[in-house]
Amino acid sequence: MPDYQAPLRDLRFVMDELLDFPGHYSRLPGGDDATPDVVGAILEEGARFSREVLLPLNQSGDREGCLLEGGEVKAPRGFKEAYRQYVEGGWPGLAAEPEFGGQGLPHSLGMALSEMTCATNLAWGMYPGLSHGAADALRHHGSEEQKAIYLTKLVEGVWTGTMCLTEPHCGTDLGLIKTRAVPAEDGGYDISGTKIFISAGEHDLADNIVHLVLAKLPDAPEGSKGISLFVVPKYLPDENGNPGARNGVSCGSLEHKMGIHGNATCVMNFDGARGYLVGKPHKGLSCMFTMMNVARIGVGIQGLGLMEASFQNSLAYARDRLQMRALSGAQAPEKAADPIIVHPDVRRMLLTQKAFAEGGRMLVMYTAQLVDTVEQGQDPAQRERAETLLGLLTPIVKAFLTEVGFEATNEGVQVFGGHGFIQEWGMEQLVRDARITRLYEGTTGIQALDLLGRKVLMSQGETLKVFTKEIHQFCKAEADNPALQEFVAPLAKLNAEWGELTMGVGMKAMNDREEVGAASVDYLMYSGYVTLAYLFARAAKQAQQALGGDEDAFYRAKLDTARFFYQRLLPRTRAHAEMIKAGGASLMAISAEDFGLGFEI
Amino acid sequence: MPDYQAPLRDLRFVMDELLDFPGHYSRLPGGDDATPDVVGAILEEGARFSREVLLPLNQSGDREGCLLEGGEVKAPRGFKEAYRQYVEGGWPGLAAEPEFGGQGLPHSLGMALSEMTCATNLAWGMYPGLSHGAADALRHHGSEEQKAIYLTKLVEGVWTGTMCLTEPHCGTDLGLIKTRAVPAEDGGYDISGTKIFISAGEHDLADNIVHLVLAKLPDAPEGSKGISLFVVPKYLPDENGNPGARNGVSCGSLEHKMGIHGNATCVMNFDGARGYLVGKPHKGLSCMFTMMNVARIGVGIQGLGLMEASFQNSLAYARDRLQMRALSGAQAPEKAADPIIVHPDVRRMLLTQKAFAEGGRMLVMYTAQLVDTVEQGQDPAQRERAETLLGLLTPIVKAFLTEVGFEATNEGVQVFGGHGFIQEWGMEQLVRDARITRLYEGTTGIQALDLLGRKVLMSQGETLKVFTKEIHQFCKAEADNPALQEFVAPLAKLNAEWGELTMGVGMKAMNDREEVGAASVDYLMYSGYVTLAYLFARAAKQAQQALGGDEDAFYRAKLDTARFFYQRLLPRTRAHAEMIKAGGASLMAISAEDFGLGFEI
């Protein structure tokens, strides 16, 4: 069975040494509670919970899957009990406002913990995970009454939430949804329609399920401007706020999926279910984006957690498995063969996992700080800047970390050789679970359009400049630091090129809008590599300053990892840059019909 | 359910127009039988068989898997009946010698058909597929008696074969095997040991199973020089050559795998099983390579088949699925939204699949011609040249086509969005089935060492030069063809760089052997891209010459695909070249212990 240790030492490096979280927390209102001691204790307890409670249920949950019987869904054995412990431990409300029963700790702390949940049991983690988006939507857009009824329950975790967006004929293009909301006499609405791919749509972990549902009012304008958001509980709350009458929403079937078998992915049927409008009529899409942005970062963290889990287990295997001698001569002559970690190509795979996981952790925590500042920052200018950067980085966190997360979990399988393909080892489950992260909450292609089209080009590049300027300033400040030149010199070059590539696409897009889509995914991947290069350069600086103390080995390993990233992963930008510059002509040339001429008769 | 049409038009382009198979066949002994009419009829019948018999069993076979009961393995429903039809149709012996009951058609024709089997039902295809390697080993190394007893049965397909190499503690490093062969008085051997990952090790499709088993004799030298090959039948043939007494070999358990569920992957226990030496004592490894090389090309074809299957189905989906409007304005204003094939990023994914499949098909058939020449060529110089090229290209076919095959099947899932993750659509099965191809018959890392270490550097680059010279001559011949410059100019540059990169690694490796392993996988991928670039340049030439006739659309699509490959895939060589040049220092710096400092306490 796979093992897992939360990477607490590396997290401490990122939070305390690299990004000055202690200072950051001290500047947040109520941040006094988030002292280094408290933060450390919570992270350690989270590490224990994920390892001791969640990890043992990961493989069994994958094997068992969920069961739909008589309209009720049973999660795999042990999931309900683990959730009970999670609620009793006060985890659901860790970062929620005290007025709704939360503990008021910073969001970033919840994000750090989330990596551990994703690493040990992604399918389980999605039951409480979906509640965050639902709670955020209600917090930002719900009426006082809705908050009173639903938010406290979600924060306590006694109820869970869902996001009901997708329908059989539309996912990305929500303007096409057919679910209807008809006003009732009492101010409520009757919701009818079918939603698919509803994660945690029905289960036995909580007393009630709060569905946040997109639907159209009778007088709705066409397309995406006519979508409204509704809260639709599984059980209608009675006057005491407890689950009362069963509502007209039910699980029609469970999807058979490639992975995340332990999570119930439901077809949800709304048959005149009672719902209540959240926010203004026809403004559901912007409310939904409140949920989506939180969820997108959450999915990026899933990619991070899965690659860390894969890395740790393939490292253990590579140290243990004896096979062949090193090309340069036996390294463990006393053994029948050398452990495979002596082989450079095995090291390349392990270091790819390690560098992406550590780089991803820096990116997630850098982004987490922005989330704190957006949510609670006291300085309006800083808040605005954080909002801009958060908008820029959200699609990168989501898509880049899931793309490289899938690659890294596959490297984990590859290190195991044929054993990686065998279920008992647990490595292939990480791949199957990781596969969904490139798809849900907006595919990589959709994230890339959001990044290049909406965030970068629609702001005339101003959004990007906020970030490239920060990188530029770092490079300038370190320009005379000879020990950092191996990082700073290439970073400065890439940072300049990032702007040039953006200009290039922008110019082409003025003549042909399709050039945006033609460049978008390569642009996103390029952006991800440069972003990680920036963070690794800062990490290298930090590590160099810390050399000479008690933990030399840790800091040397950090420098080596940064070096590996620069020498053996960052060159991928050369391919992406070329492909961006190549433009879209070769994509658009063939007609839809002619695509199939090789096989269609 | 996924559909599939064998790409007969494209295959005709590759075989008849690009590689002059008619001329090639006419020069082979007995090749008169392989007239264009016969070849065409066989390919059409193979297409029908794969589509009508194998495809309908692919998803059900994946869901059902195999069942082990009382030592007997049942393949999924329908597999046995399909195999019966396959045998009755005379398919197993298509390319085998008439003296053993075969039809004596060229090997290359069997390889073309194999793509269709892999595309429609990989798990089923592995039952007859493994027989080829076993038959080849016996044909090349077996005694006349062994051939008489076993080969005819394998050729007829009434018996199937296996390759029993891997043991729990060794796969790559076969020098470590523990299976023992003790000489018996009658000239036979008693084989004892445990083999794992034995594909088609036990099943109910054939009357008998012929295991080719690696084991060590009592006086065996240490390591890989002490391995011998044995033939171990499930049932010992009686005096009439029919299955007689049950031999001491049995299936201990079936592996639970990520994919290819329909194929029985067995733990095989040999408990004093009667076996017979094949070839000379202690020379089993070279006999095994006879099987392995055939099998490796076969696995490359698996990658090809799976990506073609994925391409065809994602193309159908992309034409059908309506979602969003084209960025440049509605393309299908009469519909609720545009079909997603209008979006450039969807086209990028489809073209990636298409270009890799069509490029892979050219590479496979180019290699298939070499196989024919090696096996049956009449001119010794041509045969030697073909052997050299075949040695060079085998690891590229195996590893490059499975790496990009995995990528392409994943693009297929991605085109489907969330639906790609749902089993019913069949796209995720192609990914799971494709995942094994990067592992078995030698991982990508092992293929890469074979290519760079054994084939290229051990020959002082001479092996590579045979191929780069052919490319060079093509570039020279087309240097003045303005219509081809977009292909020939970059190809000539890459071809020169290929040699330079090889020299560079070779120089470094003289000081440090680990540099070979550090560069190997990037070198293999680089080699794969340049090889496909060469074939696409030739295809472009062919297509340009054919323009102006009845099938203009086909040839224009071929040119467009070649252009896409050059503009949007070939730039990946820039990354691989940089990473090769970066060398291995950053891979070797961290000690095995320090790898885990981020999480180990």
Side-chain angles (χ1 to χ4, degrees):
Chain A
M1 199 190 80
D3 198 0
Y4 173 78
Q5 301 271 3
L8 293 175
R9 178 62 190 94
D10 196 55
L11 202 49
R12 192 146 51 78
F13 171 78
V14 174
M15 292 181 74
D16 296 355
E17 303 173 53
L18 187 70
L19 297 174
D20 184 26
F21 264 82
H24 164 73
Y25 283 156
S26 72
R27 288 186 293 274
L28 293 179
D32 308 346
D33 292 347
T35 61
D37 280 0
V38 168
V39 168
I42 290 174
L43 290 174
E44 273 184 36
E45 186 54 21
R48 192 200 61 74
F49 184 80
S50 62
R51 182 165 200 255
E52 295 178 12
V53 180
L54 301 182
L55 184 62
L57 301 174
N58 195 33
Q59 281 190 295
S60 57
D62 179 61
R63 266 195 300 269
E64 285 177 38
C66 298
L67 193 68
L68 173 65
E69 249 177 14
E72 306 287 319
V73 171
K74 269 183 108 136
R77 249 176 312 160
F79 273 40
K80 185 176 177 165
E81 167 59 21
Y83 188 75
R84 192 189 59 72
Q85 291 182 43
Y86 180 79
V87 171
E88 281 183 10
W91 295 106
L94 185 92
E97 291 99 328
E99 62 176 304
F100 303 114
Q103 296 174 50
L105 285 161
H107 285 269
S108 53
L109 188 55
M111 292 165 73
L113 289 162
S114 177
E115 182 195 330
M116 305 174 194
T117 308
C118 298
T120 47
N121 199 326
L122 180 60
W124 182 91
M126 289 172 67
Y127 290 104
L130 268 294
S131 298
H132 289 297
D136 272 357
L138 289 169
R139 194 158 55 92
H140 286 287
H141 308 288
S143 67
E144 288 313 309
E145 193 191 355
Q146 287 167 349
K147 288 184 198 173
I149 297 173
Y150 299 105
L151 199 46
T152 315
K153 300 286 192 185
L154 286 171
V155 165
E156 289 172 354
V158 293
W159 298 359
T160 63
T162 76
M163 291 162 52
C164 296
L165 319 177
T166 303
E167 299 185 5
H169 62 291
C170 68
T172 299
D173 195 355
L174 291 168
L176 302 175
I177 63 169
K178 293 179 180 167
T179 298
R180 288 285 175 270
V182 179
E185 288 184 0
D186 63 353
Y189 295 83
D190 291 326
I191 315 281
S192 296
T194 299
K195 297 286 182 178
I196 64 168
F197 300 164
I198 307 309
S199 299
E202 176 61 46
H203 58 80
D204 58 352
L205 269 56
D207 297 341
N208 201 359
I209 300 174
V210 183
H211 303 287
L212 275 287
V213 184
L214 292 185
K216 290 197 165 187
L217 292 165
D219 62 342
E222 282 283 297
S224 61
K225 288 182 179 129
I227 301 173
S228 305
L229 182 66
F230 299 86
V231 56
V232 183
K234 175 180 170 184
Y235 294 102
L236 293 162
D238 65 18
E239 61 265 35
N240 300 318
N242 294 320
R246 188 71 160 85
N247 202 356
V249 48
S250 60
C251 173
S253 64
L254 294 176
E255 302 284 2
H256 303 104
K257 309 183 299 285
M258 183 184 190
I260 50 167
H261 292 161
N263 197 271
T265 305
C266 303
V267 175
M268 296 303 294
N269 296 321
F270 295 83
D271 301 309
R274 172 49 50 105
Y276 305 96
L277 185 69
V278 178
K280 299 212 172 100
H282 318 316
K283 299 293 179 196
L285 212 57
S286 70
C287 302
M288 187 207 69
F289 271 108
T290 305
M291 299 193 273
M292 287 292 281
N293 282 328
V294 175
R296 284 175 172 180
I297 294 173
V299 175
I301 297 174
Q302 295 177 356
L304 168 60
L306 292 169
M307 59 184 154
E308 175 70 26
S310 183
F311 165 59
Q312 293 189 12
N313 287 285
S314 49
L315 174 60
Y317 188 80
R319 285 167 169 169
D320 190 54
R321 173 81 170 175
L322 305 177
Q323 209 79 173
M324 309 300 281
R325 293 295 181 190
L327 288 177
S328 52
Q331 303 291 302
E334 74 286 3
K335 293 179 177 159
D338 289 334
I340 61 172
I341 198 169
V342 306
H343 304 308
D345 191 59
V346 172
R347 291 175 152 258
R348 181 187 60 77
M349 296 190 279
L350 293 171
L351 280 161
T352 299
Q353 299 180 293
K354 184 178 196 289
F356 280 140
E358 293 182 12
R361 188 166 300 117
M362 291 191 283
L363 173 56
V364 163
M365 295 316 295
Y366 180 95
T367 308
Q369 233 171 35
L370 298 175
V371 171
D372 286 344
T373 304
V374 168
E375 294 280 340
Q376 299 180 276
Q378 297 301 294
D379 181 275
Q382 278 189 358
R383 220 165 51 217
E384 197 193 319
R385 184 174 184 280
E387 227 161 285
T388 303
L389 282 176
L390 184 59
L392 180 78
L393 292 178
T394 295
I396 297 176
V397 169
K398 199 283 179 183
F400 185 78
L401 291 188
T402 59
E403 288 291 324
V404 302
F406 187 67
E407 176 185 346
T409 53
N410 269 296
E411 294 291 18
V413 166
Q414 203 69 15
V415 169
F416 274 69
H419 295 276
F421 197 65
I422 305 299
Q423 291 180 351
E424 278 75 359
W425 287 99
M427 300 304 284
E428 59 86 41
Q429 185 190 344
L430 298 175
V431 171
R432 287 185 291 104
D433 287 356
R435 188 62 189 85
I436 189 61
T437 64
R438 297 168 61 191
L439 297 164
Y440 61 15
E441 310 303 344
T443 63
T444 299
I446 295 300
Q447 304 301 324
L449 277 182
D450 178 49
L451 173 68
L452 180 57
R454 179 183 291 259
K455 303 288 166 58
V456 173
L457 294 180
M458 257 170 63
S459 74
Q460 311 285 330
E462 288 306 317
T463 297
L464 178 63
K465 264 187 210 149
V466 175
F467 192 48
T468 53
K469 206 170 149 187
E470 178 175 320
I471 298 176
H472 176 72
Q473 279 163 350
F474 171 80
C475 292
K476 221 171 103 183
E478 303 300 331
D480 298 329
N481 183 346
L484 274 188
Q485 281 325 290
E486 60 180 309
F487 307 111
V488 170
L491 176 61
K493 229 167 126 179
L494 284 167
N495 195 42
E497 187 185 50
W498 198 359
E500 290 155 18
L501 290 169
T502 306
M503 281 267 284
V505 178
M507 298 292 281
K508 271 193 247 178
M510 284 166 61
N511 290 322
D512 181 0
R513 291 287 307 277
E514 303 297 354
E515 289 290 341
V516 178
S520 54
V521 167
D522 281 306
Y523 185 88
L524 183 137
M525 294 306 289
Y526 181 95
S527 304
Y529 285 109
V530 179
T531 302
L532 256 54
Y534 165 55
L535 294 166
F536 266 119
R538 286 181 57 177
K541 181 188 167 187
Q542 205 61 38
Q544 281 195 331
Q545 286 173 349
L547 282 178
D550 286 349
E551 289 192 281
D552 244 27
F554 175 83
Y555 295 109
R556 270 189 285 107
K558 184 61 78 182
L559 273 166
D560 288 334
T561 307
R563 237 165 241 141
F564 169 81
F565 180 83
Y566 267 76
Q567 294 179 21
R568 298 294 303 239
L569 293 174
L570 201 50
R572 295 180 183 184
T573 54
R574 300 305 83 222
H576 292 300
E578 286 303 307
M579 295 188 276
I580 292 167
K581 285 189 242 173
S586 73
L587 301 179
M588 308 311 284
I590 307 186
S591 71
E593 295 73 41
D594 292 354
F595 257 97
L597 288 176
F599 66 92
E600 282 166 341
I601 301 156
Chain B
M1 198 191 81
D3 197 359
Y4 173 78
Q5 301 272 2
L8 293 176
R9 178 63 190 94
D10 197 55
L11 201 50
R12 193 146 50 81
F13 172 78
V14 174
M15 291 180 74
D16 296 354
E17 304 174 51
L18 186 71
L19 298 174
D20 183 26
F21 264 82
H24 164 73
Y25 283 158
S26 72
R27 286 186 293 273
L28 293 179
D32 308 345
D33 292 346
T35 60
D37 279 1
V38 168
V39 167
I42 290 174
L43 291 174
E44 272 184 36
E45 186 54 22
R48 192 201 61 74
F49 185 80
S50 61
R51 181 165 200 254
E52 294 179 12
V53 179
L54 301 183
L55 184 62
L57 301 173
N58 195 31
Q59 281 190 296
S60 57
D62 179 62
R63 267 195 300 269
E64 284 177 36
C66 298
L67 193 69
L68 173 65
E69 249 177 12
E72 305 287 319
V73 170
K74 269 182 108 133
R77 249 177 310 161
F79 273 40
K80 185 174 176 166
E81 167 60 18
Y83 188 75
R84 192 188 59 72
Q85 291 183 42
Y86 180 79
V87 172
E88 282 183 9
W91 296 105
L94 186 91
E97 291 97 328
E99 61 175 303
F100 302 115
Q103 298 174 50
L105 287 160
H107 286 269
S108 52
L109 189 55
M111 293 165 74
L113 288 162
S114 177
E115 182 195 329
M116 305 175 195
T117 308
C118 297
T120 47
N121 199 327
L122 180 59
W124 182 90
M126 290 172 68
Y127 290 105
L130 267 294
S131 298
H132 289 297
D136 272 355
L138 288 169
R139 195 158 53 93
H140 286 287
H141 308 288
S143 66
E144 289 311 309
E145 193 192 352
Q146 287 168 350
K147 287 183 200 174
I149 297 174
Y150 300 105
L151 200 46
T152 315
K153 300 286 192 184
L154 287 171
V155 165
E156 289 172 354
V158 293
W159 298 358
T160 63
T162 76
M163 293 163 51
C164 297
L165 318 177
T166 304
E167 299 185 6
H169 62 290
C170 68
T172 299
D173 195 353
L174 292 167
L176 302 174
I177 62 168
K178 293 178 180 165
T179 299
R180 287 286 174 271
V182 180
E185 288 184 0
D186 63 352
Y189 295 82
D190 292 325
I191 315 281
S192 295
T194 299
K195 297 286 182 177
I196 64 168
F197 300 165
I198 307 309
S199 299
E202 176 63 45
H203 58 79
D204 57 353
L205 269 56
D207 298 341
N208 201 359
I209 300 173
V210 182
H211 304 286
L212 274 288
V213 184
L214 292 185
K216 291 196 165 187
L217 292 165
D219 61 342
E222 283 282 298
S224 61
K225 288 182 180 125
I227 300 173
S228 305
L229 182 65
F230 299 87
V231 56
V232 184
K234 175 180 169 186
Y235 294 103
L236 293 162
D238 64 20
E239 60 265 36
N240 301 316
N242 295 320
R246 189 71 160 85
N247 202 356
V249 48
S250 60
C251 173
S253 64
L254 293 176
E255 302 284 2
H256 303 103
K257 310 184 297 287
M258 183 184 191
I260 50 166
H261 293 161
N263 198 271
T265 305
C266 303
V267 174
M268 296 303 295
N269 297 322
F270 295 83
D271 301 309
R274 172 50 49 104
Y276 305 96
L277 185 68
V278 178
K280 300 209 172 106
H282 318 316
K283 300 293 179 196
L285 212 57
S286 68
C287 302
M288 188 207 70
F289 270 109
T290 305
M291 298 193 275
M292 287 291 282
N293 281 328
V294 175
R296 284 175 173 181
I297 293 172
V299 176
I301 297 174
Q302 296 177 357
L304 168 60
L306 293 169
M307 57 185 154
E308 175 71 25
S310 183
F311 165 59
Q312 293 189 11
N313 287 285
S314 49
L315 174 60
Y317 188 80
R319 285 167 169 168
D320 189 55
R321 173 81 171 174
L322 305 177
Q323 209 79 175
M324 309 299 284
R325 292 295 181 191
L327 288 177
S328 52
Q331 303 290 304
E334 74 286 3
K335 293 179 176 160
D338 288 334
I340 61 172
I341 199 169
V342 307
H343 304 307
D345 190 59
V346 172
R347 291 175 151 257
R348 181 187 60 78
M349 296 190 280
L350 293 172
L351 280 161
T352 299
Q353 298 180 294
K354 184 179 197 291
F356 279 140
E358 292 182 12
R361 188 166 301 118
M362 291 190 283
L363 174 55
V364 163
M365 294 316 295
Y366 180 95
T367 309
Q369 235 172 32
L370 299 174
V371 171
D372 286 344
T373 305
V374 168
E375 294 279 340
Q376 299 180 273
Q378 297 302 293
D379 180 275
Q382 279 189 358
R383 219 166 51 218
E384 198 193 319
R385 184 173 184 280
E387 226 162 286
T388 303
L389 282 176
L390 184 59
L392 180 79
L393 292 178
T394 295
I396 298 176
V397 169
K398 199 283 178 183
F400 185 78
L401 292 189
T402 59
E403 288 291 324
V404 302
F406 188 67
E407 177 186 345
T409 53
N410 269 295
E411 294 292 18
V413 166
Q414 204 69 15
V415 169
F416 274 70
H419 295 275
F421 198 65
I422 305 300
Q423 292 180 351
E424 277 77 359
W425 287 99
M427 301 304 284
E428 60 86 38
Q429 184 189 344
L430 298 175
V431 171
R432 288 186 290 104
D433 287 356
R435 188 62 188 85
I436 188 61
T437 64
R438 296 168 61 190
L439 297 164
Y440 61 15
E441 310 303 344
T443 62
T444 299
I446 294 301
Q447 304 300 325
L449 277 181
D450 179 48
L451 173 68
L452 179 57
R454 178 183 291 259
K455 303 289 168 59
V456 173
L457 294 180
M458 257 170 63
S459 75
Q460 311 286 331
E462 288 306 318
T463 297
L464 178 64
K465 263 187 211 150
V466 175
F467 192 49
T468 53
K469 206 170 147 187
E470 178 175 322
I471 299 176
H472 176 71
Q473 280 163 351
F474 171 80
C475 292
K476 222 172 99 182
E478 303 300 331
D480 298 329
N481 182 347
L484 274 188
Q485 281 324 292
E486 60 180 308
F487 306 112
V488 170
L491 176 61
K493 231 168 123 179
L494 284 167
N495 195 42
E497 187 186 51
W498 198 358
E500 290 155 19
L501 290 169
T502 307
M503 282 268 283
V505 178
M507 298 291 282
K508 272 192 247 178
M510 285 167 61
N511 291 322
D512 182 359
R513 292 287 306 277
E514 303 297 355
E515 289 290 341
V516 179
S520 54
V521 167
D522 281 306
Y523 185 87
L524 183 138
M525 295 306 290
Y526 180 95
S527 304
Y529 285 109
V530 180
T531 302
L532 256 54
Y534 165 55
L535 294 166
F536 266 119
R538 286 182 58 178
K541 181 188 166 187
Q542 206 60 39
Q544 280 193 333
Q545 287 173 348
L547 281 179
D550 285 350
E551 290 193 281
D552 243 27
F554 176 82
Y555 295 109
R556 270 190 283 105
K558 184 61 78 181
L559 274 166
D560 288 334
T561 308
R563 237 166 241 140
F564 170 81
F565 181 84
Y566 269 76
Q567 294 180 21
R568 299 294 303 240
L569 293 174
L570 202 51
R572 295 181 183 182
T573 54
R574 300 305 84 221
H576 292 299
E578 286 303 307
M579 295 189 276
I580 292 167
K581 286 189 241 172
S586 72
L587 301 179
M588 307 311 284
I590 306 186
S591 71
E593 296 73 41
D594 292 354
F595 256 97
L597 288 176
F599 66 92
E600 282 166 340
I601 302 155

